[in-house]
Amino acid sequence: MSEHKKRPARGGGPGGGNSMMMAGQKPKNFKGTFRRLLGYLKPYRGKLIAVLFAAVLSTVFMVLGPKIMGNAITELFEGAYGKFNGVPDAAIDFGTIAKLLLFLAGLYIISSAFSYIQQFIMASVSQKTVYDLREDVNHKLEKLPLKYYDGHPVGDILSRMTNDIDTIGSTLQQTITQFITAVVTIVGILAMMLWISPMLTIIALITLPLSLLVIRPFLKRSQKHFANQQRTLGNLNGHIEEMYTGHQVVKVFGHEEKAIAEFEAVNEQLYDAGRRAQFISGIIMPMMTLIGNLSYVLICVVGGILVTQRAISIGDIQAFITYMKQFTQPITQTANIANIIQSTIAAAERVFELLDEEEEIKEVTTVRLQNAKGEVVFEQVDFGYGEDLLIKDMNVHVDPGQTVAIVGPTGAGKTTIINLLMRFYELNAGTIKIDGLDTRKMSREDLRTTFGMVLQDTWLFKGTIKDNIAYGNKHATDEEIFEVARVTRADQFIRTLPEGYDTVLNEDASNVSQGQKQLITIARAVLANPAIMILDEATSSVDTRTELLIQQAMNRLMEGRTSFVIAHRLSTIQNADLILVMDKGEVIEQGTHAELLAQHGFYADLYYSQFSDKPAM
């Protein structure tokens, strides 16, 4: 497996690496996003039914508690009241009270047990749902074309896959069980309140429409601010990732203050969005508490009158007041859940936007490339990243085993040719053939395993040097790894390290030099033993002596293997079998080094500008 599978060729693309999404927009389709999110729960309907069943039982046993407690209080009050007023045989029946309290304790224990069961099951459901969602995002990222990565900040993509999905996971874990419990609690409490006193229940319910009327505008306004918060968080992550990845460049050019200023600006936007979202959603609880307290006072007054009239027992009025206080709690909880859902839907919409991105053109595989010889043909190739064509009517024929050098000024289209060879981008017109087979008729996997690639920007993962080299061939033996390291001149510096081939590279491989990184990536590509080798400025980061050693090794390794070499330093490609000179997307000259110099054209001017004055004509 060659390196390009993990990190594609960069450069030459639309280059929108810092594009930011518009902040402050409301979710485009709240209901659709919500239904789509619920769709991820469908495979776990059985477990959700079990959660619902456990939540119902837990809540029912909990709801019965105040009524049992009220009966115990009534028993205590009537015994004490009769004894105080001299009623014959009046006494407090502690036996009955004890039985009621033991029954009450049993109800609460059973309720807690079912609550534990529902939390246990829901933890599994939520994590499996998030797992499925993360898997879908990961598979989607594998199918997205290179232009998507060129047009979106890496930090924003990571934010969608981590922060946004974590937000969804937290909501599923906490909110669903809370919502089920809140709904069942409301129904159960309402039933108990009607049983105790329909009159007091009507008084209590008068406040319900008022509560909904009060919180509705806050919910509507908080929705857009939560969406703004999630989008701004993605922008901040993108900026942080970009600045810390390139912190050395930032310091070299003295852009620390500018980077800090940009961070503070984006951070201020996140602060403002978060403050507005949390403030508006935070108003809901105090408003609900105020309305609940007013209702609580009214119930106490009316209930006291009913008790004096013997229309209701004192235990029932105590139970009703308890139910009344509990009744506002699930309503408030539901309102808070509604706020959390706003944030979750905003996060889910960002994830689904990623999942809905246009994928690479679906393959229609009709041929299979096996034992490739390395013949490459460009026939009337047209290509452009946008409407304007960058490459026009390109025709190139490369025989098996030839070394092809591609030179030209920046933006001429050199790296674009590599992107087209690897099918990172699709052609506008024309065909590219390998061994006579149209690359669009073969699978991308077959095509790309034919290539080995060494990029200008090295990529190494956290792990041993041996593992990094073996990334090019998972079946390679230690001896094969050591051999390619010797051939590519990496063995000498590797063995000078304290742990040799077992030296662990850190996350950005900063514990080896840039030239040593390049040697490791070259060894990796060589170990893959591809039919076609691509070197994109492969020696640009090494010193002159190391460059010479690498070039000697590469010259031997490229014998019998088709190779494409992109280089600005023309000293590295003088022995190439074919040199393509590009300018503005067109091959303006092609031939060997000697032939191009003899033409006294663009290549000759470029060559003499690097090495010596142009000889007199």
Side-chain angles (χ1 to χ4, degrees), residues 434-448:
I434 296 180
D435 293 350
L437 302 177
D438 190 339
T439 57
R440 287 175 296 187
K441 295 182 179 179
M442 63 181 69
S443 71
R444 292 185 179 91
E445 182 177 1
D446 280 350
L447 171 66
R448 291 170 185 171

Side-chain angles (χ1 to χ4, degrees), residues 12 28 68 159 302 307 385-386 390 450 476 539 567 577 582 587 605:
K28 301 178 182 66
I68 304 300
S159 180
V302 176
V307 169
Y385 293 107
L390 175 63
T450 307
T539 59
D577 298 303
M582 298 194 65
V587 178
D605 291 338

Side-chain angles (χ1 to χ4, degrees), residues 323-335:
Y323 284 129
M324 182 61 195
K325 293 179 68 176
Q326 292 180 351
F327 186 67
T328 57
Q329 180 181 352
I331 295 177
T332 304
Q333 191 176 44
T334 303

Side-chain angles (χ1 to χ4, degrees), residues 166-182:
D166 285 344
T167 298
I168 296 171
S170 299
T171 299
L172 293 177
Q173 171 64 42
Q174 302 173 11
T175 306
I176 290 183
T177 54
Q178 289 178 0
F179 180 75
I180 294 174
T181 301

Side-chain angles (χ1 to χ4, degrees), residues 312-324:
I312 189 173
S313 68
I314 191 169
D316 282 346
I317 192 63
Q318 183 275 336
F320 192 93
I321 291 174
T322 302
Y323 284 129
M324 182 61 195

Side-chain angles (χ1 to χ4, degrees), residues 191-238:
M192 296 301 296
M193 290 169 63
L194 286 171
W195 182 19
I196 293 172
S197 174
M199 180 191 301
L200 293 179
T201 304
I202 293 173
I203 295 174
L205 291 180
I206 292 176
T207 61
L208 184 59
L210 180 61
S211 300
L212 296 176
L213 186 64
V214 168
I215 68 173
R216 184 176 181 182
F218 294 104
L219 291 176
K220 189 174 182 180
R221 291 191 62 185
S222 66
Q223 180 177 330
K224 68 175 183 179
H225 293 300
F226 275 113
N228 191 1
Q229 182 181 9
Q230 290 299 126
R231 290 187 174 89
T232 310
L233 179 61
N235 293 344
L236 183 65
N237 286 337

Side-chain angles (χ1 to χ4, degrees), residues 361-376:
I361 297 175
K362 190 174 181 180
E363 298 174 326
V364 181
T365 305
T366 57
V367 297
R368 180 150 192 189
L369 184 63
Q370 294 179 327
N371 301 320
K373 298 178 180 178
E375 180 189 26
V376 180

Side-chain angles (χ1 to χ4, degrees), residues 402-406 565 572-579 591-593:
Q402 280 192 323
T403 297
V404 180
I406 307 173
V565 180
T572 62
I573 47 92
Q574 292 183 19
N575 295 324
D577 298 303
L578 177 65
I579 298 175
T592 64
H593 174 72

